[in-house]
């Protein structure tokens, strides 16, 4: 039967009856029917002697496949004409067969036409009507949209919360900045006033000393004149004839004996100003607490008040009420076994976490003989035995069996002339350094150099029962 239109008829003429697709390397059988060479070979794959035609079933005694070059050329020409056609192409037509896309292939995840469905490439695939596929995927999209919308809502809420926190931080920073500027301005005014007082007193002291020196000089000038007059008189007497020399010589000699040099009171040129500078209370505290202005400018201004985190403390480690001191008791407290808590080694971490900047704090060790101090990663393992080394996320110094050492791998001994009473710890995150100091002598002990990632926290380890460590308050202006 003739096809409905010439185009459809032409497509049928250049389509293989087996794969229903355009001919590829077409061959003609003895019966006159044409097939793709690969399709007919697959069809005859299990035949040894008789080879039937898939269309008319007429048998051939041997494989007699003659290439049909004329049909191959016609197929290629039709393909080119189809590609070069100037008529508008409908959007939902199959590019290969120009049929409407009415089906959906699950395996290939694309829309196909009915001809594609009958072809070799889709014959074993699961195919459903395109309307069902659209409805199915709309429902799946809806299911995925709900959690995405919820996540977006949470993100927007979190962003709003963070923006509020940033605004609060900006306000607090501005208040503190104004306070610092005000305090230092007051300090500058005070120091300028003290400078003027010192200069004024220095000038007064200079005037007093110069006055005493001038009085001494005047007295010495008068006395030197008397001595000059007497010397001239005696010299003249010694040149007189014998009779005249002997007359009154006893009186002249008596006056020589009486003329003594009365030493004037010595005047020192040293300026001795016995008065106090009167530094304000805040400056005196800084000088006393941080070992001088140089130490304060280098380290003290990075001081932080560290508090101990109860959620991380080992059950036998007892925190004092102020959370500045910790003791290792030989009794186990009943505490929740949360993921943050150390369960084997007597350790505790600080509440503060540092991921940037410089931070300095001090810990009093007193006469305790076994301890370790420093910083560690917030992500360190809390359960089971721990190994204090940089490779495990710990940067610490320790006193163990009477020896001070930095717990590197292997450990590095620290030689000290006298025992430590307090340890200063300076974390410089960007520089990748953790430095330790004798907090009382302000002398350097050891510096770790590494590359930091994530949050670091103060670390405390007690080796002996009843031993105690105490964090020093570091508020510079308290």
């Amino acid at each position: 039967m003739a096809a409905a239109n010439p185009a459809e008829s032409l497509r049928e003429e250049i389509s293989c009856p087996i794969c229903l697709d355009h001919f590829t390397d077409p061959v003609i059988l003895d019966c006159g029917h044409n097939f793709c060479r690969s399709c007919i070979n697959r069809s005859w794959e299990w035949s040894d002697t008789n080879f039937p035609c898939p269309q008319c079933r007429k048998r051939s005694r041997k494989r007699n496949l003659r290439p049909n070059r004329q049909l191959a050329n016609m197929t290629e020409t039709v393909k080119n004409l189809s590609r070069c056609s100037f008529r508008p192409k409908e959007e939902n037509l199959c590019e290969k067969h120009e049929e409407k896309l009415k089906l959906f292939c699950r395996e290939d995840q694309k829309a196909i036409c009915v001809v594609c469905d009958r072809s070799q490439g889709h014959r074993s695939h699961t195919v459903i009507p395109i309307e069902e596929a659209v409805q199915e995927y709309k429902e799946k999209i809806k299911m995925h949209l709900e959690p995405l919308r919820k996540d977006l809502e949470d993100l927007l809420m979190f962003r709003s919360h963070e923006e509020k926190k940033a605004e609060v931080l900006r306000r607090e920073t501005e208040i503190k900045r104004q306070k610092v500027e005000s305090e230092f301005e007051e300090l500058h005014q005070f120091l300028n006033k003290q400078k003027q007082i010192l200069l004024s007193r220095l000038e007064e002291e200079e005037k007093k000393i110069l006055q005493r020196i001038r009085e001494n000089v005047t007295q010495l000038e008068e006395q030197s004149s008397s001595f000059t007059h007497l010397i001239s008189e005696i010299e003249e007497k010694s040149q007189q004839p014998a009779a005249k020399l002997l007359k009154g010589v006893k009186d002249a000699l008596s006056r020589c004996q009486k003329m003594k040099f009365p030493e004037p009171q010595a005047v020192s040129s040293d300026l001795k100003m016995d008065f106090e500078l009167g530094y304000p209370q805040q400056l005196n505290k800084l000088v006393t607490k941080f070992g001088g202005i140089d130490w304060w400018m280098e380290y003290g201004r990075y001081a932080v008040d560290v508090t101990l985190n109860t959620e991380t403390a080992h059950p036998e480690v007892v925190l004092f009420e102020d959370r500045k001191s910790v003791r290792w008791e030989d009794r186990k407290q009943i505490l929740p076994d949360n993921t943050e808590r150390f369960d084997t080694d007597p350790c505790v971490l600080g509440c503060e976490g540092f991921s940037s900047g410089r931070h300095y704090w001090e810990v009093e060790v007193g006469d305790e003989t076994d301890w370790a101090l420093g910083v560690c990663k917030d992500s360190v393992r809390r359960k089971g035995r721990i190994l204090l080394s940089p490779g495990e996320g710990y940067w610490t110094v320790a006193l163990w069996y009477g020896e001070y050492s930095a717990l590197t791998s292997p450990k590095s001994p620290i030689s000290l002339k006298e025992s430590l009473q307090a340890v200063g710890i300076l974390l410089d995150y960007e520089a990748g350094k953790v430095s330790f100091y004798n907090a009382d002598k302000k002398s350097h002990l050891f510096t770790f150099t590494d590359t930091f990632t994530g949050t670091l926290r103060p670390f405390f380890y007690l080796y002996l029962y009843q031993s105690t460590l105490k964090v020093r308050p570091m508020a510079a202006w308290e």
Side-chain angles (χ1 to χ4, degrees):
M1 181 180 292
N5 57 67
E8 182 66 25
S9 177
L10 184 57
R11 275 198 299 271
E12 288 183 3
E13 289 296 328
I14 64 170
S15 297
C16 173
I18 296 177
C19 67
L20 303 178
D21 208 342
H22 295 150
F23 281 116
T24 302
D25 190 12
V27 294
I28 185 169
L29 304 187
D30 293 338
C31 61
H33 291 119
N34 297 282
F35 302 93
C36 296
R37 183 182 295 274
S38 59
C39 293
I40 193 61
N41 281 333
R42 281 197 300 270
S43 176
W44 288 351
E45 191 173 7
W46 305 106
S47 299
D48 294 328
T49 56
N50 295 319
F51 304 98
C53 172
Q55 268 190 292
C56 66
R57 312 309 297 173
K58 182 178 179 180
R59 296 180 180 273
S60 301
R61 291 187 178 181
K62 55 183 178 180
R63 294 176 182 261
N64 188 17
L65 301 177
R66 291 172 296 155
N68 191 338
R69 293 186 178 84
Q70 186 176 8
L71 181 57
N73 292 337
M74 185 174 69
T75 302
E76 191 63 30
T77 301
V78 172
K79 286 183 181 179
N80 292 334
L81 285 173
S82 178
R83 283 195 292 265
C84 297
S85 176
F86 291 97
R87 66 182 181 85
K89 185 181 290 186
E90 296 183 32
E91 290 186 1
N92 61 340
L93 291 182
C94 175
E95 292 183 358
K96 183 179 289 187
H97 305 111
E98 296 188 359
E99 294 287 341
K100 286 191 176 181
L101 301 173
K102 297 182 178 181
L103 304 173
F104 181 77
C105 176
R106 289 189 183 276
E107 281 75 9
D108 291 343
Q109 287 288 295
K110 69 176 185 178
I112 62 175
C113 67
V114 292
V115 179
C116 293
D117 182 32
R118 298 200 305 273
S119 67
Q120 186 71 26
H122 293 279
R123 189 169 296 171
S124 60
H125 292 179
T126 303
V127 176
I128 62 173
I130 197 167
E131 292 80 5
E132 291 183 16
V134 170
Q135 187 61 33
E136 177 183 330
Y137 279 98
K138 279 185 177 180
E139 292 176 1
K140 288 183 178 181
I141 290 172
K142 184 178 179 182
M143 289 173 58
H144 284 80
L145 278 175
E146 288 302 321
L148 288 175
R149 289 194 179 101
K150 180 64 170 60
D151 289 344
L152 176 60
E153 183 180 347
D154 293 342
L155 284 172
L156 293 174
M157 187 178 299
F158 182 75
R159 186 185 72 176
S160 175
H161 180 65
E162 290 298 300
E163 288 174 346
K164 290 179 181 178
K165 282 172 36 179
E167 182 60 31
V168 171
L169 177 62
R170 281 193 289 269
R171 288 199 298 268
E172 291 179 351
T173 302
E174 182 60 28
I175 292 172
K176 290 181 179 179
R177 183 182 292 109
Q178 292 177 2
K179 182 180 179 182
V180 169
E181 290 178 353
S182 173
E183 289 175 345
F184 272 89
E185 179 62 28
E186 182 180 350
L187 183 59
H188 289 157
Q189 292 176 3
F190 178 85
L191 291 175
N192 284 330
K193 184 178 179 181
Q194 293 300 313
K195 173 184 173 182
Q196 296 305 319
I197 292 174
L198 280 176
L199 292 175
S200 176
R201 293 187 182 183
L202 183 64
E203 186 177 355
E204 291 177 6
E205 190 74 9
E206 181 190 23
K207 287 179 180 179
K208 289 179 182 179
I209 294 173
L210 288 175
Q211 179 64 28
R212 288 198 293 268
I213 291 174
R214 281 195 291 269
E215 291 174 357
N216 279 351
V217 169
T218 302
Q219 183 181 356
L220 289 171
E221 287 177 350
E222 293 175 353
Q223 290 174 350
S224 63
S225 177
S226 298
F227 271 84
T228 301
H229 181 73
L230 179 60
I231 290 171
S232 298
E233 184 181 340
I234 295 300
E235 287 178 344
E236 184 181 347
K237 189 73 173 173
S238 67
Q239 301 296 326
Q240 293 177 348
K244 194 173 181 179
L245 182 147
L246 294 174
K247 184 180 178 179
V249 68
K250 185 176 181 181
D251 181 59
L253 293 175
S254 176
R255 283 190 292 119
C256 285
Q257 290 176 348
K258 290 180 180 178
M259 183 67 76
K260 297 294 182 183
F261 174 66
E263 295 184 9
Q265 183 180 358
V267 179
S268 173
S269 60
D270 294 337
L271 299 175
K272 298 179 180 178
M273 294 179 288
D274 187 18
F275 55 88
E276 295 292 332
L277 291 178
Y279 289 103
Q281 185 179 8
Q282 297 95 324
L283 185 58
N284 280 329
K285 281 191 175 185
L286 288 179
V287 173
T288 302
K289 187 168 189 176
F290 294 106
I293 294 298
D294 290 341
W295 177 269
W296 160 251
M297 293 304 294
E298 185 66 24
Y299 305 107
R301 59 195 178 121
Y302 302 115
V304 292
D305 266 328
V306 171
T307 53
L308 303 176
N309 189 335
T310 57
E311 299 298 319
T312 65
H314 182 276
E316 294 181 2
V317 170
V318 178
L319 303 186
F320 288 44
E321 186 176 353
D322 61 358
R323 293 199 297 165
K324 295 286 186 182
S325 302
V326 57
R327 178 190 293 273
W328 185 13
E329 302 283 1
D330 56 355
R331 58 183 177 85
K332 196 167 186 178
Q333 304 173 91
I334 301 176
L335 298 172
D337 185 20
N338 53 56
T339 56
E340 296 183 64
R341 191 178 308 283
F342 291 92
D343 66 352
T344 303
D345 293 280
C347 308
V348 64
L349 300 182
C351 293
E352 294 71 21
F354 309 117
S355 56
S356 64
R358 283 185 170 187
H359 311 277
Y360 178 79
W361 65 95
E362 296 177 350
V363 182
E364 294 180 3
V365 296
D367 297 325
E368 301 297 348
T369 56
D370 298 277
W371 45 262
L373 297 169
V375 299
C376 71
K377 289 184 177 181
D378 188 41
S379 59
V380 293
R381 180 169 54 87
R382 316 290 175 88
K383 307 303 180 184
R385 302 298 300 182
I386 63 175
L387 176 63
L388 300 184
S389 71
E392 295 293 324
Y394 296 89
W395 296 269
T396 57
V397 296
L399 173 59
W400 182 243
Y401 289 117
E403 294 183 356
Y404 294 99
S405 61
L407 299 185
T408 53
S409 296
K411 67 180 181 180
S412 304
I414 299 175
S415 299
L416 294 176
K417 294 182 179 179
E418 56 187 16
S419 62
L420 290 170
Q421 295 295 305
V423 178
I425 303 166
L426 175 67
L427 167 64
D428 190 339
Y429 194 97
E430 281 74 16
K433 293 182 179 180
V434 183
S435 300
F436 295 85
Y437 301 88
N438 181 332
D440 295 328
K441 301 292 185 180
K442 309 305 178 190
S443 58
H444 178 258
L445 300 176
F446 188 85
T447 294
F448 288 89
T449 302
D450 212 324
T451 301
F452 301 135
T453 57
T455 300
L456 303 183
R457 297 174 69 178
F459 174 79
F460 305 81
Y461 193 119
L462 303 100
Y463 282 119
L464 291 179
Y465 282 127
Q466 305 302 317
S467 58
T468 302
L469 299 175
K470 181 180 179 181
V471 180
R472 279 184 175 175
M474 295 298 292
W477 298 92
E478 63 184 1

